[in-house]
Amino acid sequence: MTTTDLAATDLVAAQRVAIDESGWGLPYRFFQPRNLAFWLYVWLLVLGTASLLSQLNNLFAGYESEIVLGYIAFAIYTIPFWVALNYIDRFDAVPNKVRVLAFAWGGLIATWVMALNANLAVFGIYGKVFGQAFLKDWGPGLTAPFTEEIAKGLGVAIIIVLAPKVVRSAFDGFIIGGFVGLGFQVFENVSYVIEGAQGGFGANAQGESISMIITRASVGLTSHTVYSAIFGMGLVWFLGRPTEKPRRILGLLFMASAMLMHGLWDAMAAISGGSPVILPLFLLGVPLFAIVVFFLALKYSSEHTRHWMHDILAPEVARGTVTEAELDAVAGRHKDRRVFVKSNHGHKSHAQAKHVLAAATDLGEQLAASRGEDTPAVQFARSEVTRVRG
Amino acid sequence: MSDSRQEAPPSEGPENWVPVERRFLGFDKATIVPTVVILIFVLALGTWLPNINKLISYDNEAKAGDVLDLGEGITITPVPGWNIVSGLRVTDEPATGRGANESTVTLVNGAATFQVERAPFDGTTSELLDQVNRNNELLKDNQGFHVSSSPATATTSQGDEGLFESYTGTDTEGITAAFIFGSQGVKVTAVGPPGAVRDQANDVATMIDSLTYQPQGA
């Protein structure tokens, strides 16, 4: 056996390990009657849906057009967030079925089963114990970061139990948390729209609802989706996974930072005392803080997935399907891919370089799905890399 | 004689197969503890916190001299003994200020609830009352809502005139009153099970009378 043969064998062995560890390509089936979490999820989904429908049924005759408008507006609003999360999860580490489960938890369970009841209860307790002025100042800031972040975080926790083979890394927690947060954000926004329509005695329901849609859409860019992605990643680090050793302090730190940015946002008026100088600093500073932590979380959580993709595709370099530079770019960070696309690696244009990277990613996904076997799908994915390279 | 053609069993069971020794009451043992922990958190947020809130009684009884601030120069004086469930006293000084587009004051006494809502409204007292009735009629939870008296004039001790009427629901009864103060509409409701508001009729009338409006900057 030659040294080259040995190296190739090592690469294939490493590829097998990466496929096993990542869990990529493993099928996920929602119906698992022997999984107790499955029954809990179904029961809570029924409760949450019933609670939402009951509210809608109560208000529908009076605010039909505002309710429909709210749902249409925020269904459209969901699309760019979904696309963005899909772009971030570029190796499709989290299957679509699991993304839908996460979204539904955020939109129907975390909201209508937990957060709504818990928020009202804590407001009531604050008002009784600390008085109405305290409630007005600190009620939202000292309630939602705990009740809502925990309610959403439980969505990541239950998905770990429902799909342990899918949630293998902190990055999976990041993506699942993002989808939970997106569901929460969308359904919460619609409830704000309906609430807004009832403002001013419901005399200008349509105008008030449009105004609320604009307000909620503009302040929501760095809200629940971002908080929950960070929290979800922290939770996976805190709990640990078979392929992700627990990093409890770091996990807690990220979970706490999600709660902190949520709290700072909700309590900014009280903290700044309404100062026209300090308040704008919060309006800019909190989203900035959220974005920085979000990308920091993304950077650290994606290390595992990038290594897995590297090891899955590495034998393809030996086969001559992809080059070393292409492999590094596919398994690299966004910055690495940008550098690759802009540099001259023999491709004819930037667009062609992007196509090569996308086709190589597809090949990696097909290899994971086939457990490294040379299936027709893998062979086709290889031929696609060759075709787009021209 | 053994059948040499018998196929070996597959090395893996069907998808989501749980071996018998890993089951408890038919469930995968590995899923029981985490599910119970998640359930405890769900119950804590969705059920236990609301129950704790219910267990804590209101200890914010209105005292003589208390005046509640509805914003935009509108105040109301609660009758001593009623509990303030929501609403700021004029002596409260929240860091976030008093400014709010809308505000609500809620008082309870036994089974009777007295609520005052203030919000911008562009119209007459009669139009506000019509709008409030329309809202009540369209709410499904208010099935059985029925205005049981013609609108009558209500005059505050300051001399401002509004309208009030009685209504009945499936298992409630009460009164609604409407006032316009400048650009603001004020809706007053007193509601409770049959008899509860009638028992507190004097207090309800006294509180409606106490509505005052001091235009800001005046």
Side-chain angles (χ1 to χ4, degrees):
Chain A
M1 193 176 264
T2 64
T3 314
T4 315
D5 289 340
L6 267 176
T9 311
D10 288 348
L11 286 176
V12 170
Q15 181 190 57
R16 234 357 117 74
V17 170
I19 290 171
D20 287 343
E21 282 189 354
S22 69
W24 292 346
L26 286 176
Y28 169 71
R29 182 184 285 187
F30 175 60
F31 184 69
Q32 304 171 54
R34 294 203 183 279
N35 188 329
L36 192 58
F38 164 77
W39 295 107
L40 178 62
Y41 187 98
V42 170
W43 176 57
L44 295 175
L45 191 66
V46 170
L47 283 184
T49 308
S51 174
L52 170 64
L53 291 179
S54 157
Q55 192 225 30
L56 292 180
N57 184 42
N58 180 35
L59 295 168
F60 201 73
Y63 301 96
E64 180 184 344
S65 56
E66 292 75 22
I67 290 171
V68 171
L69 182 69
Y71 274 101
I72 291 174
F74 283 103
I76 296 167
Y77 183 79
T78 306
I79 297 168
F81 281 89
W82 195 288
V83 169
L85 285 170
N86 188 53
Y87 175 77
I88 291 170
D89 185 13
R90 61 196 163 102
F91 304 144
D92 288 335
V94 178
N96 278 326
K97 276 189 208 169
V98 175
R99 293 174 180 183
V100 172
L101 280 187
F103 185 85
W105 179 279
L108 295 167
I109 299 173
T111 39
W112 299 100
V113 179
M114 287 176 277
L116 182 69
N117 295 337
N119 286 350
L120 289 174
V122 177
F123 284 174
I125 294 167
Y126 283 159
K128 289 170 191 174
V129 177
F130 302 115
Q132 295 294 316
F134 177 90
L135 174 63
K136 183 172 187 297
D137 284 344
W138 300 103
L142 292 179
T143 304
F146 302 103
T147 55
E148 294 180 1
E149 292 312 319
I150 291 172
K152 290 181 291 170
L154 290 172
V156 179
I158 202 166
I159 287 174
I160 293 175
V161 188
L162 284 170
K165 291 176 182 172
V166 169
V167 192
R168 300 293 186 107
S169 67
F171 181 77
D172 297 330
F174 183 92
I175 295 296
I176 292 166
F179 279 103
V180 171
L182 179 58
F184 192 97
Q185 186 171 329
V186 166
F187 280 79
E188 184 193 52
N189 282 348
V190 178
S191 70
Y192 273 115
V193 171
I194 299 169
E195 199 179 293
Q198 297 171 75
F201 310 105
N204 178 26
Q206 210 151 64
E208 294 287 348
S209 59
I210 291 169
S211 157
M212 187 59 83
I213 287 170
I214 295 166
T215 306
R216 296 300 304 179
S218 53
V219 300
L221 293 174
T222 54
S223 73
H224 288 290
T225 308
V226 170
Y227 304 152
S228 297
I230 296 165
F231 192 96
M233 188 205 72
L235 184 65
V236 171
W237 262 344
F238 179 75
L239 297 173
R241 302 294 303 136
T243 52
E244 183 89 70
K245 67 172 185 206
R247 297 158 89 171
R248 297 202 197 283
I249 302 289
L250 204 59
L252 277 176
L253 210 61
F254 273 103
M255 285 193 279
S257 71
M259 287 173 159
L260 177 67
M261 59 187 74
H262 193 164
L264 287 174
W265 182 259
D266 284 359
M268 71 169 93
I271 299 169
S272 67
S275 155
V277 178
I278 302 172
L279 194 61
L281 293 179
F282 273 87
L283 278 168
L284 288 173
V286 177
L288 198 67
F289 173 46
I291 289 167
V292 168
V293 178
F294 180 83
F295 282 105
L296 205 65
L298 179 60
K299 180 181 171 185
Y300 288 113
S301 68
S302 67
E303 274 174 16
H304 247 129
T305 53
R306 290 189 294 101
H307 286 154
W308 284 329
M309 182 50 91
H310 183 277
D311 288 355
I312 289 170
L313 271 181
E316 296 300 319
V317 177
R319 288 183 71 111
T321 319
V322 293
T323 65
E324 194 74 48
E326 286 162 1
L327 174 63
D328 289 343
V330 169
R333 296 204 172 100
H334 179 71
K335 190 177 68 182
D336 303 320
R337 290 197 299 284
R338 209 176 48 216
V339 169
F340 172 84
V341 167
K342 285 187 177 169
S343 63
N344 184 1
H345 279 284
H347 46 259
K348 291 168 193 150
S349 65
H350 291 175
Q352 191 200 28
K354 284 181 187 171
H355 290 159
V356 170
L357 296 187
T361 305
D362 287 348
L363 173 59
E365 288 169 11
Q366 288 302 332
L367 281 164
S370 73
R371 323 305 299 157
E373 298 299 324
D374 218 5
T375 60
V378 169
Q379 287 163 11
F380 177 75
R382 269 194 204 110
S383 71
E384 279 293 281
V385 177
T386 312
R387 183 183 68 79
V388 295
R389 185 179 287 114
Chain B
M1 196 169 154
S2 64
D3 185 354
S4 59
R5 290 172 300 169
Q6 195 175 1
E7 287 180 17
S11 59
E12 282 186 19
E15 207 181 312
N16 295 327
W17 177 257
V18 179
V20 288
E21 66 274 22
R22 261 182 51 194
R23 296 180 204 163
F24 178 72
L25 298 174
F27 294 110
D28 184 347
K29 283 181 192 171
T31 67
I32 294 173
V33 172
T35 305
V36 170
V37 172
I38 292 167
L39 177 64
I40 288 169
F41 274 99
V42 171
L43 290 174
L45 289 170
T47 308
W48 297 344
L49 272 174
N51 283 332
I52 291 169
N53 179 34
K54 279 181 198 160
L55 286 175
I56 302 173
S57 55
Y58 290 107
D59 187 20
N60 191 11
E61 220 171 72
K63 295 173 189 67
D66 278 346
V67 178
L68 300 176
D69 190 357
L70 282 153
E72 299 293 329
I74 302 163
T75 58
I76 190 164
T77 305
V79 170
W82 283 69
N83 256 306
I84 302 166
V85 176
S86 70
L88 294 168
R89 290 177 172 87
V90 290
T91 49
D92 285 330
E93 288 181 359
T96 46
R98 304 177 163 278
N101 196 35
E102 302 185 7
S103 66
T104 302
V105 158
T106 308
L107 303 155
V108 293
N109 194 350
T113 301
F114 182 89
Q115 191 168 61
V116 191
E117 291 172 59
R118 191 269 307 162
F121 187 77
D122 184 14
T124 63
T125 312
S126 173
E127 284 166 345
L128 176 57
L129 196 60
D130 287 346
Q131 179 67 35
V132 169
N133 286 335
R134 175 192 165 274
N135 293 346
N136 285 331
E137 281 160 11
L138 288 173
L139 283 183
K140 206 96 173 183
D141 285 353
N142 279 356
Q143 261 177 357
F145 175 85
H146 169 71
V147 175
S148 56
S149 73
S150 303
T153 304
T155 309
T156 66
S157 23
Q158 202 182 35
D160 291 304
E161 285 193 351
L163 290 171
F164 82 95
E165 61 189 14
S166 305
Y167 71 87
T168 57
T170 310
D171 47 13
T172 57
E173 63 177 25
I175 63 113
T176 306
F179 292 86
I180 298 293
F181 296 118
S183 63
Q184 304 295 309
V186 170
K187 166 192 154 192
V188 181
T189 50
V191 65
V197 174
R198 268 177 281 154
D199 290 347
Q200 309 281 351
N202 285 338
D203 283 2
V204 169
T206 304
M207 289 195 277
I208 292 175
D209 286 351
S210 77
L211 272 168
T212 58
Y213 173 53
Q214 184 71 45
Q216 289 183 325

